[in-house]
Amino acid sequence: MRKLNFDNRFCRELPSDPITSNYTRQVKGALWSSVAPTPVSAPSLMAYSGPVAEMLGLTEADIHHPAMLNALAGNQLLEGMQSYATCYGGHQFGNWAGQLGDGRAIYLGELVHNTQRFELQLKGAGETPYSRRADGRAVLRSSLREFLCSEAMHYLGVPTTRALSLVRTGDQVVRDMFYDGNPQMEQGAIVCRVAPSFTRFGHFELLASRGELALLKQLIGFTIDRDFNDWLKQQAQPLLKDDPATALIEAWFTEVCERTARMIAHWMRVGFVHGVMNTDNMSITGLTIDYGPYGWVDNFDPGWTPNTTDAQGRRYCFGRQHDIGRWNLERLADALSTLLPDAVGLNHALDQYESVYTQSLIDALVGKFGLDAWQDEDGEMINRCFELMTRAEVDMTLFFTHLPHVNLAKPEVSDLKVAFYTDQGYKNFEADFNDWLVHYAQRISQSSEPAEARHTRMAKHNPRYVLRNYLAQEAIDLAEQGDNSMIETLLTLLQNPYTQQTGMEKFEEKRPDWARHKAGCSMLSCSS
């Protein structure tokens, strides 16, 4: 195995836990703990992302080298790798949870290729000092879902962490999927996640909660220098790494707010529901992170959540993601305020979150509906459409895929019937939709844009293929029988989600009736 270029700045520049034994504990005055992955019995490579491998400078020979397989399974470290887990806290479902940390994610270090830096992280590689009462492992179903979704989101144009590989461990893991007292043995797997940074809001929150303000300053300075370096070069204020100036912290927080706003607007554009937007699941760099009980909206419903743990309160449902993003940023602001003389600059940054989100969402809606520009009255028209889609049970992805092909000279909802989940829904709201389409056609007619140009523009905002939960579950069912073909099919398909692909018609279809209430298709949990 040839030598790769690792440069592990996080470990080199930030304080470590002095205890090197691997047992659950509170870790104070440190940001990371040295820990080795727990070896597995029979690792096998189920799938890998060729584009991510290329991004990392890895060849096909590298990926299939026995030493690389062992590294991706947690059975050995390659030269230059350093394994560790980081310490952070977080608010979970609105409540402060104290220290959390990487309970089953173990870093392999920072790989540098073509001047770009990437943290590699094994999810499901065994216990760490932050595992609490868990085993540090992950099951095949959750690992497969994270692997596919990481790549699907990237090709949708959504800021996201990536996934390099999916490895079957050959070991069994005990999981109670719905926390209902029925644990079962499941196949274990490990996914190698890749991102410029896995730093979370919770890293900063924990330090502030403990009053470790010097360390909080150090982490902020490090994060700005390493993870926001391009942004930093555009700032007039110089960086003092161990004591960043108030103005720079405020400007940096504004950048975090803007990135978070754009990310969530993308979620709303494609119908993605994260499912568990705790502050420890929020990336400081504005990437979608931690693919657990996520899902895509099938029948349009702002109140829908795929997470059974959230079924009653619906805190993290589709329509609340913008509000929760704001709430999470407010908790980060609380942490940063411990270093600042007042909260004026932080409040301005939160206002900027609202402004950037609103504009990003408007841009998305203009593209999705094929409008030439935003007019104030468009909001009422679009809200009426979403109301009808919710009441009539209309598939979000199919509706927007077929909307460009409605005959605007004689608009009829029959052109969109494929998107309706029930005949009754179609019958009950046929007249309402026809009225809406007449209004929509009148609005489009105000533009001089050629129809072909409008259709092309709409196609860039409306994916034909998304990783519907039932598709992921079909891939899981096959993979558990040793058949990885569906993983490969979906991985290839989802690399071109906006382009119709020959022979892939079945992947455009709406959720089948059998998947409406099936575990893994409509009901998911944090158990993974």
Side-chain angles (χ1 to χ4, degrees), residues 45-50 52 141-153 161-167 190-193 291 294 467 487-488 491:
L45 183 65
M46 298 179 67
Y48 76 95
S49 169
V52 174
R141 58 178 164 82
S142 65
S143 301
L144 187 155
R145 282 170 48 83
E146 176 141 23
F147 173 76
L148 285 177
C149 195
S150 300
E151 292 306 283
M153 290 285 272
T161 58
R162 305 290 299 275
L164 171 62
S165 60
L166 177 65
V167 171
I190 296 172
V191 61
C192 181
R193 309 195 295 189
Y291 292 99
Y294 69 82
L467 185 62
I487 303 175
E488 296 294 342
L491 193 61

PDB file of all heavy atoms in Angstrom, residues 45-50 52 141-153 161-167 190-193 291 294 467 487-488 491:
ATOM      1  N   LEU A  45     -15.694  -5.512   1.463  1.00  0.00           N
ATOM      2  CA  LEU A  45     -16.106  -4.245   0.869  1.00  0.00           C
ATOM      3  C   LEU A  45     -17.411  -4.447   0.110  1.00  0.00           C
ATOM      4  O   LEU A  45     -17.452  -5.168  -0.890  1.00  0.00           O
ATOM      5  CB  LEU A  45     -15.014  -3.722  -0.059  1.00  0.00           C
ATOM      6  CG  LEU A  45     -15.262  -2.354  -0.710  1.00  0.00           C
ATOM      7  CD1 LEU A  45     -15.320  -1.249   0.342  1.00  0.00           C
ATOM      8  CD2 LEU A  45     -14.178  -2.059  -1.747  1.00  0.00           C
ATOM      9  N   MET A  46     -18.471  -3.799   0.576  1.00  0.00           N
ATOM     10  CA  MET A  46     -19.766  -3.912  -0.080  1.00  0.00           C
ATOM     11  C   MET A  46     -19.889  -2.922  -1.246  1.00  0.00           C
ATOM     12  O   MET A  46     -20.448  -3.244  -2.288  1.00  0.00           O
ATOM     13  CB  MET A  46     -20.892  -3.650   0.922  1.00  0.00           C
ATOM     14  CG  MET A  46     -20.967  -4.629   2.071  1.00  0.00           C
ATOM     15  SD  MET A  46     -22.307  -4.214   3.218  1.00  0.00           S
ATOM     16  CE  MET A  46     -23.750  -4.517   2.198  1.00  0.00           C
ATOM     17  N   ALA A  47     -19.388  -1.707  -1.049  1.00  0.00           N
ATOM     18  CA  ALA A  47     -19.489  -0.674  -2.074  1.00  0.00           C
ATOM     19  C   ALA A  47     -18.543   0.464  -1.730  1.00  0.00           C
ATOM     20  O   ALA A  47     -18.153   0.633  -0.568  1.00  0.00           O
ATOM     21  CB  ALA A  47     -20.920  -0.150  -2.170  1.00  0.00           C
ATOM     22  N   TYR A  48     -18.185   1.230  -2.743  1.00  0.00           N
ATOM     23  CA  TYR A  48     -17.426   2.449  -2.495  1.00  0.00           C
ATOM     24  C   TYR A  48     -17.783   3.475  -3.556  1.00  0.00           C
ATOM     25  O   TYR A  48     -18.288   3.139  -4.630  1.00  0.00           O
ATOM     26  CB  TYR A  48     -15.918   2.174  -2.476  1.00  0.00           C
ATOM     27  CG  TYR A  48     -15.273   1.956  -3.821  1.00  0.00           C
ATOM     28  CD1 TYR A  48     -14.665   3.006  -4.506  1.00  0.00           C
ATOM     29  CD2 TYR A  48     -15.266   0.687  -4.419  1.00  0.00           C
ATOM     30  CE1 TYR A  48     -14.066   2.801  -5.747  1.00  0.00           C
ATOM     31  CE2 TYR A  48     -14.674   0.476  -5.647  1.00  0.00           C
ATOM     32  CZ  TYR A  48     -14.075   1.541  -6.313  1.00  0.00           C
ATOM     33  OH  TYR A  48     -13.495   1.348  -7.545  1.00  0.00           O
ATOM     34  N   SER A  49     -17.548   4.735  -3.226  1.00  0.00           N
ATOM     35  CA  SER A  49     -17.824   5.821  -4.151  1.00  0.00           C
ATOM     36  C   SER A  49     -16.566   6.146  -4.940  1.00  0.00           C
ATOM     37  O   SER A  49     -15.592   6.656  -4.367  1.00  0.00           O
ATOM     38  CB  SER A  49     -18.302   7.060  -3.388  1.00  0.00           C
ATOM     39  OG  SER A  49     -18.327   8.183  -4.240  1.00  0.00           O
ATOM     40  N   GLY A  50     -16.604   5.869  -6.235  1.00  0.00           N
ATOM     41  CA  GLY A  50     -15.463   6.178  -7.091  1.00  0.00           C
ATOM     42  C   GLY A  50     -15.111   7.659  -7.092  1.00  0.00           C
ATOM     43  O   GLY A  50     -13.937   8.029  -6.985  1.00  0.00           O
ATOM     44  N   VAL A  52     -15.567   9.889  -4.736  1.00  0.00           N
ATOM     45  CA  VAL A  52     -14.942  10.274  -3.473  1.00  0.00           C
ATOM     46  C   VAL A  52     -13.509   9.748  -3.412  1.00  0.00           C
ATOM     47  O   VAL A  52     -12.590  10.447  -2.971  1.00  0.00           O
ATOM     48  CB  VAL A  52     -15.756   9.767  -2.267  1.00  0.00           C
ATOM     49  CG1 VAL A  52     -15.021  10.054  -0.958  1.00  0.00           C
ATOM     50  CG2 VAL A  52     -17.125  10.429  -2.245  1.00  0.00           C
ATOM     51  N   ARG A 141     -28.235  -1.798   8.014  1.00  0.00           N
ATOM     52  CA  ARG A 141     -29.318  -0.973   7.459  1.00  0.00           C
ATOM     53  C   ARG A 141     -28.996   0.516   7.594  1.00  0.00           C
ATOM     54  O   ARG A 141     -29.162   1.286   6.641  1.00  0.00           O
ATOM     55  CB  ARG A 141     -30.658  -1.311   8.106  1.00  0.00           C
ATOM     56  CG  ARG A 141     -30.698  -1.153   9.600  1.00  0.00           C
ATOM     57  CD  ARG A 141     -32.085  -1.457  10.185  1.00  0.00           C
ATOM     58  NE  ARG A 141     -31.998  -1.667  11.622  1.00  0.00           N
ATOM     59  CZ  ARG A 141     -31.963  -0.690  12.518  1.00  0.00           C
ATOM     60  NH1 ARG A 141     -32.032   0.567  12.123  1.00  0.00           N
ATOM     61  NH2 ARG A 141     -31.876  -0.973  13.806  1.00  0.00           N
ATOM     62  N   SER A 142     -28.542   0.946   8.766  1.00  0.00           N
ATOM     63  CA  SER A 142     -28.270   2.375   8.955  1.00  0.00           C
ATOM     64  C   SER A 142     -27.018   2.809   8.204  1.00  0.00           C
ATOM     65  O   SER A 142     -26.940   3.926   7.681  1.00  0.00           O
ATOM     66  CB  SER A 142     -28.124   2.702  10.440  1.00  0.00           C
ATOM     67  OG  SER A 142     -26.990   2.062  10.995  1.00  0.00           O
ATOM     68  N   SER A 143     -26.019   1.941   8.140  1.00  0.00           N
ATOM     69  CA  SER A 143     -24.778   2.271   7.439  1.00  0.00           C
ATOM     70  C   SER A 143     -25.015   2.396   5.942  1.00  0.00           C
ATOM     71  O   SER A 143     -24.487   3.306   5.286  1.00  0.00           O
ATOM     72  CB  SER A 143     -23.718   1.202   7.719  1.00  0.00           C
ATOM     73  OG  SER A 143     -23.457   1.094   9.108  1.00  0.00           O
ATOM     74  N   LEU A 144     -25.815   1.494   5.388  1.00  0.00           N
ATOM     75  CA  LEU A 144     -26.135   1.560   3.963  1.00  0.00           C
ATOM     76  C   LEU A 144     -26.904   2.845   3.644  1.00  0.00           C
ATOM     77  O   LEU A 144     -26.619   3.523   2.660  1.00  0.00           O
ATOM     78  CB  LEU A 144     -26.950   0.323   3.578  1.00  0.00           C
ATOM     79  CG  LEU A 144     -27.273   0.090   2.105  1.00  0.00           C
ATOM     80  CD1 LEU A 144     -27.521  -1.400   1.848  1.00  0.00           C
ATOM     81  CD2 LEU A 144     -28.510   0.883   1.651  1.00  0.00           C
ATOM     82  N   ARG A 145     -27.854   3.190   4.511  1.00  0.00           N
ATOM     83  CA  ARG A 145     -28.621   4.410   4.299  1.00  0.00           C
ATOM     84  C   ARG A 145     -27.716   5.648   4.336  1.00  0.00           C
ATOM     85  O   ARG A 145     -27.859   6.558   3.533  1.00  0.00           O
ATOM     86  CB  ARG A 145     -29.723   4.531   5.365  1.00  0.00           C
ATOM     87  CG  ARG A 145     -30.937   3.643   5.100  1.00  0.00           C
ATOM     88  CD  ARG A 145     -31.885   3.617   6.299  1.00  0.00           C
ATOM     89  NE  ARG A 145     -32.178   4.952   6.800  1.00  0.00           N
ATOM     90  CZ  ARG A 145     -33.098   5.775   6.301  1.00  0.00           C
ATOM     91  NH1 ARG A 145     -33.840   5.375   5.272  1.00  0.00           N
ATOM     92  NH2 ARG A 145     -33.309   6.965   6.825  1.00  0.00           N
ATOM     93  N   GLU A 146     -26.785   5.677   5.270  1.00  0.00           N
ATOM     94  CA  GLU A 146     -25.888   6.840   5.352  1.00  0.00           C
ATOM     95  C   GLU A 146     -24.958   6.904   4.148  1.00  0.00           C
ATOM     96  O   GLU A 146     -24.707   7.981   3.595  1.00  0.00           O
ATOM     97  CB  GLU A 146     -25.074   6.801   6.644  1.00  0.00           C
ATOM     98  CG  GLU A 146     -24.057   7.929   6.734  1.00  0.00           C
ATOM     99  CD  GLU A 146     -23.917   8.538   8.103  1.00  0.00           C
ATOM    100  OE1 GLU A 146     -24.258   7.864   9.098  1.00  0.00           O
ATOM    101  OE2 GLU A 146     -23.461   9.691   8.188  1.00  0.00           O
ATOM    102  N   PHE A 147     -24.440   5.763   3.731  1.00  0.00           N
ATOM    103  CA  PHE A 147     -23.549   5.718   2.577  1.00  0.00           C
ATOM    104  C   PHE A 147     -24.245   6.265   1.335  1.00  0.00           C
ATOM    105  O   PHE A 147     -23.729   7.160   0.655  1.00  0.00           O
ATOM    106  CB  PHE A 147     -23.090   4.276   2.341  1.00  0.00           C
ATOM    107  CG  PHE A 147     -22.299   4.088   1.078  1.00  0.00           C
ATOM    108  CD1 PHE A 147     -20.980   4.494   1.006  1.00  0.00           C
ATOM    109  CD2 PHE A 147     -22.880   3.497  -0.041  1.00  0.00           C
ATOM    110  CE1 PHE A 147     -20.247   4.325  -0.168  1.00  0.00           C
ATOM    111  CE2 PHE A 147     -22.159   3.319  -1.209  1.00  0.00           C
ATOM    112  CZ  PHE A 147     -20.832   3.736  -1.269  1.00  0.00           C
ATOM    113  N   LEU A 148     -25.436   5.760   1.036  1.00  0.00           N
ATOM    114  CA  LEU A 148     -26.136   6.189  -0.170  1.00  0.00           C
ATOM    115  C   LEU A 148     -26.596   7.646  -0.079  1.00  0.00           C
ATOM    116  O   LEU A 148     -26.492   8.408  -1.045  1.00  0.00           O
ATOM    117  CB  LEU A 148     -27.339   5.284  -0.430  1.00  0.00           C
ATOM    118  CG  LEU A 148     -27.042   3.885  -0.977  1.00  0.00           C
ATOM    119  CD1 LEU A 148     -28.331   3.085  -1.099  1.00  0.00           C
ATOM    120  CD2 LEU A 148     -26.334   3.957  -2.330  1.00  0.00           C
ATOM    121  N   CYS A 149     -27.100   8.046   1.073  1.00  0.00           N
ATOM    122  CA  CYS A 149     -27.653   9.393   1.181  1.00  0.00           C
ATOM    123  C   CYS A 149     -26.563  10.455   1.106  1.00  0.00           C
ATOM    124  O   CYS A 149     -26.773  11.526   0.525  1.00  0.00           O
ATOM    125  CB  CYS A 149     -28.431   9.544   2.482  1.00  0.00           C
ATOM    126  SG  CYS A 149     -29.503  11.001   2.492  1.00  0.00           S
ATOM    127  N   SER A 150     -25.401  10.175   1.659  1.00  0.00           N
ATOM    128  CA  SER A 150     -24.301  11.136   1.588  1.00  0.00           C
ATOM    129  C   SER A 150     -23.981  11.478   0.141  1.00  0.00           C
ATOM    130  O   SER A 150     -23.789  12.648  -0.215  1.00  0.00           O
ATOM    131  CB  SER A 150     -23.056  10.563   2.271  1.00  0.00           C
ATOM    132  OG  SER A 150     -23.305  10.275   3.622  1.00  0.00           O
ATOM    133  N   GLU A 151     -23.937  10.459  -0.701  1.00  0.00           N
ATOM    134  CA  GLU A 151     -23.624  10.681  -2.108  1.00  0.00           C
ATOM    135  C   GLU A 151     -24.816  11.266  -2.868  1.00  0.00           C
ATOM    136  O   GLU A 151     -24.657  12.153  -3.711  1.00  0.00           O
ATOM    137  CB  GLU A 151     -23.163   9.368  -2.748  1.00  0.00           C
ATOM    138  CG  GLU A 151     -21.812   8.900  -2.208  1.00  0.00           C
ATOM    139  CD  GLU A 151     -20.747   9.979  -2.346  1.00  0.00           C
ATOM    140  OE1 GLU A 151     -20.239  10.170  -3.460  1.00  0.00           O
ATOM    141  OE2 GLU A 151     -20.465  10.669  -1.341  1.00  0.00           O
ATOM    142  N   ALA A 152     -26.013  10.789  -2.564  1.00  0.00           N
ATOM    143  CA  ALA A 152     -27.203  11.322  -3.234  1.00  0.00           C
ATOM    144  C   ALA A 152     -27.341  12.820  -2.997  1.00  0.00           C
ATOM    145  O   ALA A 152     -27.636  13.592  -3.923  1.00  0.00           O
ATOM    146  CB  ALA A 152     -28.449  10.593  -2.738  1.00  0.00           C
ATOM    147  N   MET A 153     -27.133  13.256  -1.770  1.00  0.00           N
ATOM    148  CA  MET A 153     -27.274  14.672  -1.438  1.00  0.00           C
ATOM    149  C   MET A 153     -26.239  15.520  -2.185  1.00  0.00           C
ATOM    150  O   MET A 153     -26.540  16.624  -2.652  1.00  0.00           O
ATOM    151  CB  MET A 153     -27.146  14.870   0.065  1.00  0.00           C
ATOM    152  CG  MET A 153     -28.318  14.322   0.847  1.00  0.00           C
ATOM    153  SD  MET A 153     -29.796  15.349   0.731  1.00  0.00           S
ATOM    154  CE  MET A 153     -29.492  16.476   2.091  1.00  0.00           C
ATOM    155  N   THR A 161     -21.655  16.102   3.963  1.00  0.00           N
ATOM    156  CA  THR A 161     -20.511  15.216   4.116  1.00  0.00           C
ATOM    157  C   THR A 161     -20.607  14.148   3.038  1.00  0.00           C
ATOM    158  O   THR A 161     -21.674  13.936   2.446  1.00  0.00           O
ATOM    159  CB  THR A 161     -20.507  14.560   5.505  1.00  0.00           C
ATOM    160  OG1 THR A 161     -21.735  13.823   5.684  1.00  0.00           O
ATOM    161  CG2 THR A 161     -20.409  15.615   6.609  1.00  0.00           C
ATOM    162  N   ARG A 162     -19.522  13.469   2.774  1.00  0.00           N
ATOM    163  CA  ARG A 162     -19.500  12.430   1.739  1.00  0.00           C
ATOM    164  C   ARG A 162     -19.251  11.064   2.376  1.00  0.00           C
ATOM    165  O   ARG A 162     -18.992  10.965   3.583  1.00  0.00           O
ATOM    166  CB  ARG A 162     -18.408  12.726   0.705  1.00  0.00           C
ATOM    167  CG  ARG A 162     -18.485  14.093   0.048  1.00  0.00           C
ATOM    168  CD  ARG A 162     -19.659  14.228  -0.905  1.00  0.00           C
ATOM    169  NE  ARG A 162     -19.615  13.287  -2.006  1.00  0.00           N
ATOM    170  CZ  ARG A 162     -18.954  13.478  -3.143  1.00  0.00           C
ATOM    171  NH1 ARG A 162     -18.256  14.594  -3.329  1.00  0.00           N
ATOM    172  NH2 ARG A 162     -18.996  12.582  -4.119  1.00  0.00           N
ATOM    173  N   ALA A 163     -19.304  10.023   1.571  1.00  0.00           N
ATOM    174  CA  ALA A 163     -19.034   8.669   2.051  1.00  0.00           C
ATOM    175  C   ALA A 163     -18.108   7.970   1.070  1.00  0.00           C
ATOM    176  O   ALA A 163     -18.377   7.952  -0.138  1.00  0.00           O
ATOM    177  CB  ALA A 163     -20.329   7.880   2.209  1.00  0.00           C
ATOM    178  N   LEU A 164     -17.036   7.419   1.582  1.00  0.00           N
ATOM    179  CA  LEU A 164     -16.071   6.713   0.742  1.00  0.00           C
ATOM    180  C   LEU A 164     -16.443   5.258   0.564  1.00  0.00           C
ATOM    181  O   LEU A 164     -16.419   4.735  -0.553  1.00  0.00           O
ATOM    182  CB  LEU A 164     -14.668   6.815   1.349  1.00  0.00           C
ATOM    183  CG  LEU A 164     -13.577   5.951   0.695  1.00  0.00           C
ATOM    184  CD1 LEU A 164     -13.375   6.344  -0.767  1.00  0.00           C
ATOM    185  CD2 LEU A 164     -12.264   6.058   1.477  1.00  0.00           C
ATOM    186  N   SER A 165     -16.791   4.580   1.653  1.00  0.00           N
ATOM    187  CA  SER A 165     -16.933   3.121   1.564  1.00  0.00           C
ATOM    188  C   SER A 165     -17.968   2.598   2.539  1.00  0.00           C
ATOM    189  O   SER A 165     -18.304   3.231   3.542  1.00  0.00           O
ATOM    190  CB  SER A 165     -15.581   2.457   1.865  1.00  0.00           C
ATOM    191  OG  SER A 165     -15.150   2.804   3.179  1.00  0.00           O
ATOM    192  N   LEU A 166     -18.449   1.406   2.205  1.00  0.00           N
ATOM    193  CA  LEU A 166     -19.363   0.659   3.059  1.00  0.00           C
ATOM    194  C   LEU A 166     -18.780  -0.740   3.215  1.00  0.00           C
ATOM    195  O   LEU A 166     -18.583  -1.453   2.224  1.00  0.00           O
ATOM    196  CB  LEU A 166     -20.754   0.591   2.426  1.00  0.00           C
ATOM    197  CG  LEU A 166     -21.813  -0.210   3.171  1.00  0.00           C
ATOM    198  CD1 LEU A 166     -22.137   0.431   4.522  1.00  0.00           C
ATOM    199  CD2 LEU A 166     -23.093  -0.325   2.331  1.00  0.00           C
ATOM    200  N   VAL A 167     -18.471  -1.110   4.449  1.00  0.00           N
ATOM    201  CA  VAL A 167     -17.806  -2.388   4.736  1.00  0.00           C
ATOM    202  C   VAL A 167     -18.696  -3.241   5.636  1.00  0.00           C
ATOM    203  O   VAL A 167     -19.175  -2.776   6.678  1.00  0.00           O
ATOM    204  CB  VAL A 167     -16.438  -2.153   5.421  1.00  0.00           C
ATOM    205  CG1 VAL A 167     -15.848  -3.473   5.919  1.00  0.00           C
ATOM    206  CG2 VAL A 167     -15.476  -1.472   4.444  1.00  0.00           C
ATOM    207  N   ILE A 190     -19.691  -0.804   8.647  1.00  0.00           N
ATOM    208  CA  ILE A 190     -18.969   0.437   8.937  1.00  0.00           C
ATOM    209  C   ILE A 190     -18.954   1.285   7.676  1.00  0.00           C
ATOM    210  O   ILE A 190     -18.658   0.788   6.585  1.00  0.00           O
ATOM    211  CB  ILE A 190     -17.523   0.148   9.389  1.00  0.00           C
ATOM    212  CG1 ILE A 190     -17.511  -0.615  10.712  1.00  0.00           C
ATOM    213  CG2 ILE A 190     -16.721   1.439   9.513  1.00  0.00           C
ATOM    214  CD1 ILE A 190     -16.116  -1.107  11.120  1.00  0.00           C
ATOM    215  N   VAL A 191     -19.289   2.563   7.818  1.00  0.00           N
ATOM    216  CA  VAL A 191     -19.191   3.490   6.698  1.00  0.00           C
ATOM    217  C   VAL A 191     -18.058   4.465   6.981  1.00  0.00           C
ATOM    218  O   VAL A 191     -17.896   4.930   8.111  1.00  0.00           O
ATOM    219  CB  VAL A 191     -20.527   4.234   6.463  1.00  0.00           C
ATOM    220  CG1 VAL A 191     -20.941   5.055   7.664  1.00  0.00           C
ATOM    221  CG2 VAL A 191     -20.451   5.103   5.227  1.00  0.00           C
ATOM    222  N   CYS A 192     -17.254   4.732   5.966  1.00  0.00           N
ATOM    223  CA  CYS A 192     -16.189   5.724   6.092  1.00  0.00           C
ATOM    224  C   CYS A 192     -16.722   7.056   5.580  1.00  0.00           C
ATOM    225  O   CYS A 192     -17.000   7.218   4.389  1.00  0.00           O
ATOM    226  CB  CYS A 192     -14.941   5.316   5.316  1.00  0.00           C
ATOM    227  SG  CYS A 192     -13.591   6.514   5.463  1.00  0.00           S
ATOM    228  N   ARG A 193     -16.884   8.001   6.491  1.00  0.00           N
ATOM    229  CA  ARG A 193     -17.398   9.321   6.145  1.00  0.00           C
ATOM    230  C   ARG A 193     -16.223  10.272   5.869  1.00  0.00           C
ATOM    231  O   ARG A 193     -15.160  10.154   6.478  1.00  0.00           O
ATOM    232  CB  ARG A 193     -18.269   9.873   7.276  1.00  0.00           C
ATOM    233  CG  ARG A 193     -19.331   8.887   7.720  1.00  0.00           C
ATOM    234  CD  ARG A 193     -20.409   9.526   8.552  1.00  0.00           C
ATOM    235  NE  ARG A 193     -19.954  10.042   9.841  1.00  0.00           N
ATOM    236  CZ  ARG A 193     -20.786  10.477  10.791  1.00  0.00           C
ATOM    237  NH1 ARG A 193     -22.086  10.467  10.574  1.00  0.00           N
ATOM    238  NH2 ARG A 193     -20.311  10.924  11.932  1.00  0.00           N
ATOM    239  N   TYR A 291     -26.643  11.144   8.936  1.00  0.00           N
ATOM    240  CA  TYR A 291     -27.832  10.627   8.268  1.00  0.00           C
ATOM    241  C   TYR A 291     -28.392   9.455   9.055  1.00  0.00           C
ATOM    242  O   TYR A 291     -27.989   8.315   8.878  1.00  0.00           O
ATOM    243  CB  TYR A 291     -27.480  10.214   6.839  1.00  0.00           C
ATOM    244  CG  TYR A 291     -27.141  11.392   5.960  1.00  0.00           C
ATOM    245  CD1 TYR A 291     -25.828  11.744   5.688  1.00  0.00           C
ATOM    246  CD2 TYR A 291     -28.153  12.177   5.412  1.00  0.00           C
ATOM    247  CE1 TYR A 291     -25.519  12.834   4.879  1.00  0.00           C
ATOM    248  CE2 TYR A 291     -27.860  13.260   4.608  1.00  0.00           C
ATOM    249  CZ  TYR A 291     -26.541  13.583   4.346  1.00  0.00           C
ATOM    250  OH  TYR A 291     -26.250  14.668   3.547  1.00  0.00           O
ATOM    251  N   TYR A 294     -33.565   9.940   8.589  1.00  0.00           N
ATOM    252  CA  TYR A 294     -33.928  10.938   7.579  1.00  0.00           C
ATOM    253  C   TYR A 294     -34.986  10.371   6.630  1.00  0.00           C
ATOM    254  O   TYR A 294     -35.301   9.178   6.651  1.00  0.00           O
ATOM    255  CB  TYR A 294     -32.689  11.364   6.778  1.00  0.00           C
ATOM    256  CG  TYR A 294     -32.146  10.265   5.875  1.00  0.00           C
ATOM    257  CD1 TYR A 294     -32.706  10.023   4.625  1.00  0.00           C
ATOM    258  CD2 TYR A 294     -31.086   9.456   6.270  1.00  0.00           C
ATOM    259  CE1 TYR A 294     -32.228   9.007   3.807  1.00  0.00           C
ATOM    260  CE2 TYR A 294     -30.596   8.450   5.453  1.00  0.00           C
ATOM    261  CZ  TYR A 294     -31.167   8.231   4.230  1.00  0.00           C
ATOM    262  OH  TYR A 294     -30.695   7.220   3.417  1.00  0.00           O
ATOM    263  N   LEU A 467     -33.591   9.532  -3.057  1.00  0.00           N
ATOM    264  CA  LEU A 467     -33.437   8.265  -2.338  1.00  0.00           C
ATOM    265  C   LEU A 467     -34.648   8.046  -1.438  1.00  0.00           C
ATOM    266  O   LEU A 467     -34.580   8.186  -0.222  1.00  0.00           O
ATOM    267  CB  LEU A 467     -32.140   8.269  -1.525  1.00  0.00           C
ATOM    268  CG  LEU A 467     -31.781   6.960  -0.803  1.00  0.00           C
ATOM    269  CD1 LEU A 467     -31.580   5.821  -1.796  1.00  0.00           C
ATOM    270  CD2 LEU A 467     -30.546   7.156   0.061  1.00  0.00           C
ATOM    271  N   ILE A 487     -27.437  -1.552  -4.287  1.00  0.00           N
ATOM    272  CA  ILE A 487     -26.584  -0.454  -3.821  1.00  0.00           C
ATOM    273  C   ILE A 487     -25.889   0.179  -5.010  1.00  0.00           C
ATOM    274  O   ILE A 487     -25.872   1.411  -5.164  1.00  0.00           O
ATOM    275  CB  ILE A 487     -25.536  -0.952  -2.802  1.00  0.00           C
ATOM    276  CG1 ILE A 487     -26.199  -1.639  -1.613  1.00  0.00           C
ATOM    277  CG2 ILE A 487     -24.661   0.202  -2.329  1.00  0.00           C
ATOM    278  CD1 ILE A 487     -25.212  -2.266  -0.644  1.00  0.00           C
ATOM    279  N   GLU A 488     -25.309  -0.643  -5.855  1.00  0.00           N
ATOM    280  CA  GLU A 488     -24.580  -0.136  -7.017  1.00  0.00           C
ATOM    281  C   GLU A 488     -25.520   0.585  -7.988  1.00  0.00           C
ATOM    282  O   GLU A 488     -25.181   1.637  -8.546  1.00  0.00           O
ATOM    283  CB  GLU A 488     -23.857  -1.279  -7.730  1.00  0.00           C
ATOM    284  CG  GLU A 488     -22.766  -1.941  -6.898  1.00  0.00           C
ATOM    285  CD  GLU A 488     -21.605  -0.994  -6.606  1.00  0.00           C
ATOM    286  OE1 GLU A 488     -21.465   0.032  -7.304  1.00  0.00           O
ATOM    287  OE2 GLU A 488     -20.840  -1.281  -5.669  1.00  0.00           O
ATOM    288  N   LEU A 491     -26.446   3.917  -6.423  1.00  0.00           N
ATOM    289  CA  LEU A 491     -25.281   4.802  -6.381  1.00  0.00           C
ATOM    290  C   LEU A 491     -25.057   5.446  -7.750  1.00  0.00           C
ATOM    291  O   LEU A 491     -24.785   6.645  -7.850  1.00  0.00           O
ATOM    292  CB  LEU A 491     -24.045   4.012  -5.953  1.00  0.00           C
ATOM    293  CG  LEU A 491     -22.802   4.805  -5.567  1.00  0.00           C
ATOM    294  CD1 LEU A 491     -23.069   5.710  -4.380  1.00  0.00           C
ATOM    295  CD2 LEU A 491     -21.651   3.848  -5.252  1.00  0.00           C
TER     296      LEU A 491
END
